[in-house]
mmCIF file of all heavy atoms in Angstrom:
data_model
loop_
_atom_site.group_PDB
_atom_site.id
_atom_site.type_symbol
_atom_site.label_atom_id
_atom_site.label_comp_id
_atom_site.label_asym_id
_atom_site.label_seq_id
_atom_site.Cartn_x
_atom_site.Cartn_y
_atom_site.Cartn_z
ATOM 1 N N MET A 1 42.915 58.024 -39.650
ATOM 2 C CA MET A 1 43.183 59.096 -38.711
ATOM 3 C C MET A 1 44.316 58.684 -37.776
ATOM 4 O O MET A 1 44.430 57.647 -37.316
ATOM 5 C CB MET A 1 41.905 59.303 -37.882
ATOM 6 C CG MET A 1 42.050 60.413 -36.812
ATOM 7 S SD MET A 1 40.557 60.867 -36.009
ATOM 8 C CE MET A 1 39.761 61.813 -37.409
ATOM 9 N N LYS A 2 45.153 59.738 -37.548
ATOM 10 C CA LYS A 2 46.324 59.425 -36.715
ATOM 11 C C LYS A 2 46.046 59.633 -35.210
ATOM 12 O O LYS A 2 45.196 60.477 -34.886
ATOM 13 C CB LYS A 2 47.469 60.471 -37.137
ATOM 14 C CG LYS A 2 47.891 60.301 -38.511
ATOM 15 C CD LYS A 2 48.969 59.274 -38.722
ATOM 16 C CE LYS A 2 49.458 59.360 -40.146
ATOM 17 N NZ LYS A 2 50.124 58.056 -40.483
ATOM 18 N N TYR A 3 46.748 58.960 -34.390
ATOM 19 C CA TYR A 3 46.674 59.136 -32.919
ATOM 20 C C TYR A 3 47.974 59.641 -32.511
ATOM 21 O O TYR A 3 49.049 59.404 -33.092
ATOM 22 C CB TYR A 3 46.446 57.796 -32.291
ATOM 23 C CG TYR A 3 45.032 57.253 -32.389
ATOM 24 C CD1 TYR A 3 44.641 56.585 -33.597
ATOM 25 C CD2 TYR A 3 44.147 57.359 -31.350
ATOM 26 C CE1 TYR A 3 43.343 56.062 -33.708
ATOM 27 C CE2 TYR A 3 42.843 56.884 -31.482
ATOM 28 C CZ TYR A 3 42.454 56.302 -32.636
ATOM 29 O OH TYR A 3 41.251 55.756 -32.754
ATOM 30 N N GLU A 4 47.894 60.465 -31.398
ATOM 31 C CA GLU A 4 49.135 60.967 -30.784
ATOM 32 C C GLU A 4 49.323 60.318 -29.405
ATOM 33 O O GLU A 4 48.334 60.343 -28.601
ATOM 34 C CB GLU A 4 49.069 62.490 -30.609
ATOM 35 C CG GLU A 4 50.260 63.084 -30.068
ATOM 36 C CD GLU A 4 50.307 64.638 -29.906
ATOM 37 O OE1 GLU A 4 50.703 65.236 -30.909
ATOM 38 O OE2 GLU A 4 49.858 65.125 -28.894
ATOM 39 N N LEU A 5 50.429 59.682 -29.173
ATOM 40 C CA LEU A 5 50.738 59.076 -27.911
ATOM 41 C C LEU A 5 51.859 59.832 -27.219
ATOM 42 O O LEU A 5 52.744 60.360 -27.866
ATOM 43 C CB LEU A 5 51.179 57.661 -28.095
ATOM 44 C CG LEU A 5 50.332 56.673 -28.896
ATOM 45 C CD1 LEU A 5 51.063 55.375 -29.190
ATOM 46 C CD2 LEU A 5 49.157 56.421 -28.044
ATOM 47 N N LEU A 40 54.604 60.408 -29.932
ATOM 48 C CA LEU A 40 54.616 59.584 -31.153
ATOM 49 C C LEU A 40 53.312 59.858 -31.837
ATOM 50 O O LEU A 40 52.260 60.106 -31.243
ATOM 51 C CB LEU A 40 54.736 58.123 -30.810
ATOM 52 C CG LEU A 40 56.080 57.787 -30.079
ATOM 53 C CD1 LEU A 40 55.921 57.876 -28.600
ATOM 54 C CD2 LEU A 40 56.579 56.419 -30.423
ATOM 55 N N LYS A 41 53.288 59.645 -33.174
ATOM 56 C CA LYS A 41 52.069 59.808 -33.895
ATOM 57 C C LYS A 41 51.984 58.725 -35.005
ATOM 58 O O LYS A 41 52.929 58.457 -35.723
ATOM 59 C CB LYS A 41 52.103 61.173 -34.676
ATOM 60 C CG LYS A 41 50.778 61.636 -35.216
ATOM 61 C CD LYS A 41 50.863 63.052 -35.808
ATOM 62 C CE LYS A 41 49.532 63.477 -36.266
ATOM 63 N NZ LYS A 41 49.645 64.912 -36.738
ATOM 64 N N GLY A 42 50.814 58.014 -35.003
ATOM 65 C CA GLY A 42 50.693 56.967 -35.988
ATOM 66 C C GLY A 42 49.293 56.457 -36.124
ATOM 67 O O GLY A 42 48.346 56.937 -35.458
ATOM 68 N N ASP A 43 49.136 55.532 -36.970
ATOM 69 C CA ASP A 43 47.896 54.922 -37.256
ATOM 70 C C ASP A 43 47.570 53.798 -36.275
ATOM 71 O O ASP A 43 48.415 53.083 -35.824
ATOM 72 C CB ASP A 43 47.806 54.332 -38.725
ATOM 73 C CG ASP A 43 47.924 55.419 -39.780
ATOM 74 O OD1 ASP A 43 47.224 56.418 -39.671
ATOM 75 O OD2 ASP A 43 48.770 55.237 -40.681
ATOM 76 N N LEU A 44 46.225 53.671 -36.063
ATOM 77 C CA LEU A 44 45.747 52.551 -35.112
ATOM 78 C C LEU A 44 45.883 51.231 -35.903
ATOM 79 O O LEU A 44 45.462 51.129 -37.016
ATOM 80 C CB LEU A 44 44.317 52.885 -34.768
ATOM 81 C CG LEU A 44 43.702 51.940 -33.700
ATOM 82 C CD1 LEU A 44 44.284 52.177 -32.321
ATOM 83 C CD2 LEU A 44 42.187 52.155 -33.704
ATOM 84 N N ASP A 45 46.441 50.288 -35.195
ATOM 85 C CA ASP A 45 46.426 48.901 -35.693
ATOM 86 C C ASP A 45 44.938 48.333 -35.360
ATOM 87 O O ASP A 45 44.674 48.138 -34.172
ATOM 88 C CB ASP A 45 47.458 48.027 -35.029
ATOM 89 C CG ASP A 45 47.491 46.653 -35.484
ATOM 90 O OD1 ASP A 45 46.431 46.064 -35.777
ATOM 91 O OD2 ASP A 45 48.629 46.068 -35.582
ATOM 92 N N PRO A 46 44.121 48.125 -36.321
ATOM 93 C CA PRO A 46 42.720 47.792 -36.052
ATOM 94 C C PRO A 46 42.548 46.426 -35.381
ATOM 95 O O PRO A 46 41.646 46.194 -34.678
ATOM 96 C CB PRO A 46 42.116 47.750 -37.463
ATOM 97 C CG PRO A 46 43.186 47.634 -38.434
ATOM 98 C CD PRO A 46 44.384 48.231 -37.759
ATOM 99 N N GLN A 47 43.525 45.551 -35.698
ATOM 100 C CA GLN A 47 43.430 44.264 -35.014
ATOM 101 C C GLN A 47 43.757 44.275 -33.489
ATOM 102 O O GLN A 47 43.020 43.697 -32.627
ATOM 103 C CB GLN A 47 44.383 43.283 -35.764
ATOM 104 C CG GLN A 47 44.116 41.825 -35.182
ATOM 105 C CD GLN A 47 44.874 40.827 -36.098
ATOM 106 O OE1 GLN A 47 45.647 41.161 -36.949
ATOM 107 N NE2 GLN A 47 44.573 39.559 -35.878
ATOM 108 N N ILE A 48 44.822 45.035 -33.147
ATOM 109 C CA ILE A 48 45.256 45.108 -31.747
ATOM 110 C C ILE A 48 44.544 46.193 -31.051
ATOM 111 O O ILE A 48 44.255 46.085 -29.836
ATOM 112 C CB ILE A 48 46.781 45.326 -31.640
ATOM 113 C CG1 ILE A 48 47.566 44.073 -32.286
ATOM 114 C CG2 ILE A 48 47.262 45.446 -30.249
ATOM 115 C CD1 ILE A 48 49.013 44.182 -32.369
ATOM 116 N N GLY A 49 44.295 47.319 -31.668
ATOM 117 C CA GLY A 49 43.577 48.391 -31.053
ATOM 118 C C GLY A 49 44.478 49.494 -30.483
ATOM 119 O O GLY A 49 44.058 50.335 -29.709
ATOM 120 N N TRP A 50 45.760 49.503 -30.853
ATOM 121 C CA TRP A 50 46.671 50.498 -30.444
ATOM 122 C C TRP A 50 47.596 50.909 -31.491
ATOM 123 O O TRP A 50 47.689 50.212 -32.629
ATOM 124 C CB TRP A 50 47.420 50.107 -29.223
ATOM 125 C CG TRP A 50 48.374 48.964 -29.286
ATOM 126 C CD1 TRP A 50 49.154 48.623 -30.410
ATOM 127 C CD2 TRP A 50 48.746 48.006 -28.302
ATOM 128 N NE1 TRP A 50 49.939 47.538 -30.108
ATOM 129 C CE2 TRP A 50 49.708 47.181 -28.794
ATOM 130 C CE3 TRP A 50 48.387 47.852 -26.982
ATOM 131 C CZ2 TRP A 50 50.305 46.094 -28.092
ATOM 132 C CZ3 TRP A 50 48.931 46.812 -26.295
ATOM 133 C CH2 TRP A 50 49.860 45.917 -26.846
ATOM 134 N N VAL A 51 48.341 51.999 -31.314
ATOM 135 C CA VAL A 51 49.324 52.461 -32.296
ATOM 136 C C VAL A 51 50.703 51.712 -32.144
ATOM 137 O O VAL A 51 51.257 51.263 -33.046
ATOM 138 C CB VAL A 51 49.484 54.054 -32.169
ATOM 139 C CG1 VAL A 51 50.624 54.471 -33.158
ATOM 140 C CG2 VAL A 51 48.182 54.701 -32.475
ATOM 141 N N VAL A 52 51.101 51.678 -30.867
ATOM 142 C CA VAL A 52 52.306 51.029 -30.485
ATOM 143 C C VAL A 52 52.236 50.634 -29.030
ATOM 144 O O VAL A 52 51.643 51.397 -28.258
ATOM 145 C CB VAL A 52 53.580 51.941 -30.785
ATOM 146 C CG1 VAL A 52 53.592 53.179 -29.957
ATOM 147 C CG2 VAL A 52 54.907 51.101 -30.618
ATOM 148 N N ASP A 53 52.846 49.607 -28.667
ATOM 149 C CA ASP A 53 52.888 49.151 -27.290
ATOM 150 C C ASP A 53 53.728 50.065 -26.466
ATOM 151 O O ASP A 53 54.878 50.249 -26.772
ATOM 152 C CB ASP A 53 53.352 47.641 -27.212
ATOM 153 C CG ASP A 53 53.309 47.005 -25.925
ATOM 154 O OD1 ASP A 53 52.949 47.760 -24.924
ATOM 155 O OD2 ASP A 53 53.562 45.814 -25.851
ATOM 156 N N ILE A 101 57.924 56.328 -35.652
ATOM 157 C CA ILE A 101 56.810 57.264 -35.523
ATOM 158 C C ILE A 101 56.984 58.376 -34.444
ATOM 159 O O ILE A 101 56.093 59.134 -34.150
ATOM 160 C CB ILE A 101 55.468 56.522 -35.281
ATOM 161 C CG1 ILE A 101 55.472 55.730 -33.970
ATOM 162 C CG2 ILE A 101 55.164 55.579 -36.459
ATOM 163 C CD1 ILE A 101 54.158 55.120 -33.568
ATOM 164 N N GLN A 103 57.707 61.695 -32.967
ATOM 165 C CA GLN A 103 57.531 63.014 -33.515
ATOM 166 C C GLN A 103 58.412 64.044 -32.891
ATOM 167 O O GLN A 103 58.966 64.923 -33.478
ATOM 168 C CB GLN A 103 56.032 63.514 -33.359
ATOM 169 C CG GLN A 103 55.123 62.654 -34.223
ATOM 170 C CD GLN A 103 55.313 62.839 -35.644
ATOM 171 O OE1 GLN A 103 55.156 63.998 -36.174
ATOM 172 N NE2 GLN A 103 55.692 61.844 -36.432
#
Side-chain angles (χ1 to χ4, degrees):
M1 179 170 287
K2 302 272 185 199
Y3 285 81
E4 183 176 272
L5 303 171
L40 300 91
K41 191 173 186 178
D43 294 313
L44 185 73
D45 180 324
Q47 187 170 11
I48 298 175
W50 66 33
V51 175
V52 64
D53 187 352
I101 63 170
Q103 295 293 298

